[in-house]
């Protein structure tokens, strides 16, 4: 049945090319390639029998526009929010101006800081946008177009909206899809490119074999002392430390034998009587792997627990504000808005994927520590929140706590 659906989808696309122009055939070929690649991804956003439901607007050469481009210099790096509640570092690369259906429009083109450091993607440019089809004909979260610096010809660049595609978040939960900035909101309908995916979202499958091994540098840190030896906590005041703290971490093999030793040393570090904390993430001791300790104030005796490859799958829109500090940021404590409740996913020692809902202060600790895994520090959250508007609920809801209870 699955193979029949996929074959039918690809056959329909192929048969339609007989009556198409060469340009239309090129766009159709791109769509066929995407369907074929998604069908092969065992741990991708779509199941193999779902690619048949990918949907597109008819190819329309009127949505292939020639834009004037102004390349920008010395642009500051900023964090572009993602739909999973985190963010990625980008900088504006250029401003483009074009005319569509008799009206002039302006969009920003961005460059990913992380991708730019990879030689294979040093020329990659990113154009996310929103338009008046979102939530109706197209995906509510907007669409993307990929470009290259090689596409720029003098002061011009071709923008083909027929190549606009959905982020993986349109098909499945568990992906970090950038939210198009408000300045890239087009006040027109872009009836070109990929349409909305009209099926229920999948839950991203977990590939237990995808984790990385510890690097030689990681092993040197882990084995630099006995299992109870406190590790040095990286500080934002040191440029070399800051580079590690701002980097994105990767999943680790859940059954790596060195995890046990590292977890003990991280625990000794977070319980250092001179600098005690309620949580710590591996990047804070110089290892960019997805490992954290969190004190569970929501459990009897408030135990510390260790988590391998933790992911926050969902965050409540209800926020709570509370003071936060960080072992890696000396002499600074400020009020930060965090989701009141989250849904956490992680892998236990037996290789089983566990999910649980967590509320209150413990949820805040998990958000703080998992932010470290994406190179996000709480001052980044403060900057992000300064640009958003929030409606207080003080007159609608009241929280209270017994006076002897530990508070953040």
């Amino acid at each position: 049945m699955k193979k029949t659906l996929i074959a039918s989808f690809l056959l329909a696309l192929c048969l339609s090319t007989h009556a198409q122009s060469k340009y239309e055939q090129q766009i159709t070929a791109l769509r066929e390639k995407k369907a074929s690649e998604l069908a092969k991804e065992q741990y991708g956003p779509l199941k193999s029998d779902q690619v048949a439901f990918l949907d597109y607007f008819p190819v329309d050469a009127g949505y292939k526009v020639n834009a004037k481009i102004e390349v920008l210099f010395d642009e500051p790096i900023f964090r572009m929010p993602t739909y999973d509640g985190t963010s990625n570092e980008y900088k504006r690369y250029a401003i483009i101006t074009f005319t569509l259906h008799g009206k002039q429009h302006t969009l920003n083109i961005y460059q990913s800081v992380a991708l730019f450091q990879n030689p294979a993607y040093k020329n990659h440019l990113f154009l996310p946008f929103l338009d008046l089809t979102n939530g109706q004909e197209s995906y509510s979260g907007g669409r993307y177009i990929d470009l290259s610096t090689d596409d720029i010809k003098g002061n011009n660049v071709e923008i083909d909206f027929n190549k606009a595609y959905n982020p993986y978040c349109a098909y499945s939960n568990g992906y970090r899809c950038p939210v198009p900035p408000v300045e890239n909101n087009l006040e027109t309908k872009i009836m070109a490119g990929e349409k909305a995916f009209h099926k229920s979202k999948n839950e991203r499958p977990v590939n237990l074999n995808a984790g990385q091994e510890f690097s030689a540098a990681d092993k040197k840190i882990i084995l630099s002392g006995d299992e109870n030896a406190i590790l040095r906590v990286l500080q934002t005041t040191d440029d070399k430390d800051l580079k590690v703290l701002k980097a994105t971490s990767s999943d680790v093999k859940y059954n790596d034998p060195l995890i046990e030793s590292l977890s003990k040393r991280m625990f000794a570090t977070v319980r250092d009587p001179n600098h005690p904390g309620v949580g710590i993430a591996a990047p804070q001791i110089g290892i960019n792997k997805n490992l954290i300790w969190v004190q569970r104030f929501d459990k009897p005796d408030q135990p510390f627990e260790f988590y391998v490859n933790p992911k926050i799958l969902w965050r409540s829109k209800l926020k709570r504000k509370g003071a936060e500090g960080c072992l890696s940021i000396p002499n600074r404590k400020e009020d930060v808005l965090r989701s009141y409740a989250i849904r956490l996913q992680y892998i236990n020692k037996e290789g089983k994927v566990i999910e649980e809902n967590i509320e209150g202060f413990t949820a805040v600790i998990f958000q703080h520590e998992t932010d470290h895994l994406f190179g996000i520090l709480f001052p980044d959250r403060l900057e992000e929140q300064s640009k958003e508007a929030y409606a207080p609920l003080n007159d609608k809801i009241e929280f209270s706590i017994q006076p002897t209870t530990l508070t953040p």
Side-chain angles (χ1 to χ4, degrees), residues 75-332:
E75 283 289 302
I77 293 173
F78 72 99
R79 300 203 71 94
M80 189 181 295
T82 54
Y83 281 111
D84 71 336
T86 61
S87 59
N88 287 322
E89 288 189 328
Y90 284 86
K91 67 177 182 178
R92 284 200 310 165
Y93 181 84
I95 300 173
I96 59 170
T97 304
F98 59 93
T99 300
L100 183 64
H101 300 153
K103 185 178 179 181
Q104 191 175 83
H105 302 276
T106 299
L107 290 172
N108 290 306
I109 294 177
Y110 303 91
Q111 196 167 45
S112 166
V113 173
L115 285 182
F116 182 73
Q117 298 171 16
N118 185 333
Y121 293 95
K122 68 176 183 176
N123 295 329
H124 181 264
L125 300 175
F126 180 53
L127 176 56
F129 69 93
L130 297 159
D131 69 276
L132 298 183
T133 67
N134 298 143
Q136 300 178 60
E137 296 93 343
S138 70
Y139 173 54
S140 60
R143 291 175 287 173
Y144 306 156
I145 295 176
D146 292 324
L147 298 167
S148 169
T149 55
D150 296 332
D151 296 327
I152 301 172
K153 309 300 180 184
N155 295 323
N156 296 278
V157 64
E158 182 181 271
I159 305 298
D160 191 347
F161 287 102
N162 292 285
K163 296 179 180 179
Y165 64 92
N166 289 338
Y168 278 5
C169 294
Y171 320 124
S172 175
N173 295 316
Y175 287 91
R176 301 181 66 218
C177 307
V179 179
V182 65
E183 57 265 28
N184 273 25
N185 193 346
L186 294 170
E187 292 298 321
T188 187
K189 283 196 170 190
I190 302 296
M191 306 287 282
E194 189 168 0
K195 289 185 175 182
F197 183 69
H198 296 292
K199 296 292 178 182
S200 298
K201 278 192 178 185
N202 298 313
E203 291 297 332
R204 185 179 184 179
V206 178
N207 183 0
L208 294 176
N209 300 313
Q212 297 182 7
E213 296 181 349
F214 289 108
S215 68
D218 294 339
K219 293 176 182 178
K220 184 177 180 180
I221 293 173
I222 297 169
L223 301 174
S224 63
D226 64 49
E227 292 182 340
N228 296 314
I230 293 172
L231 290 155
R232 186 180 79 85
V233 177
L234 276 59
Q235 301 295 299
T236 57
T237 49
D238 182 294
D239 289 340
K240 188 176 179 181
D241 286 359
L242 185 59
K243 186 175 181 180
V244 177
L245 290 168
K246 299 290 281 186
T248 300
S249 296
S250 58
D251 281 351
V252 65
K253 291 186 179 299
Y254 74 91
N255 55 358
D256 191 300
L258 283 177
I259 288 180
E260 184 68 21
S261 296
L262 175 58
S263 68
K264 290 179 179 178
R265 295 201 66 185
M266 286 176 62
F267 180 70
T269 304
V270 76
R271 299 309 293 150
D272 179 0
N274 295 316
H275 301 283
V278 294
I280 193 169
Q284 292 180 271
I285 50 87
I287 296 178
N288 286 123
K289 294 295 187 292
N290 293 334
L291 301 164
I292 63 173
W293 274 99
V294 166
Q295 187 168 8
R296 296 297 301 257
F297 289 99
D298 57 338
K299 291 186 176 182
D301 301 323
Q302 302 176 349
F304 274 84
E305 294 183 354
F306 186 68
Y307 296 88
V308 176
N309 301 340
K311 303 284 186 302
I312 295 179
L313 304 180
W314 169 85
R315 302 169 193 250
S316 69
K317 293 187 181 298
L318 178 66
K319 308 280 187 177
R320 52 102 65 197
K321 179 182 284 189
E324 289 187 31
C326 181
L327 295 175
S328 293
I329 304 178
N331 305 317
R332 184 172 181 181

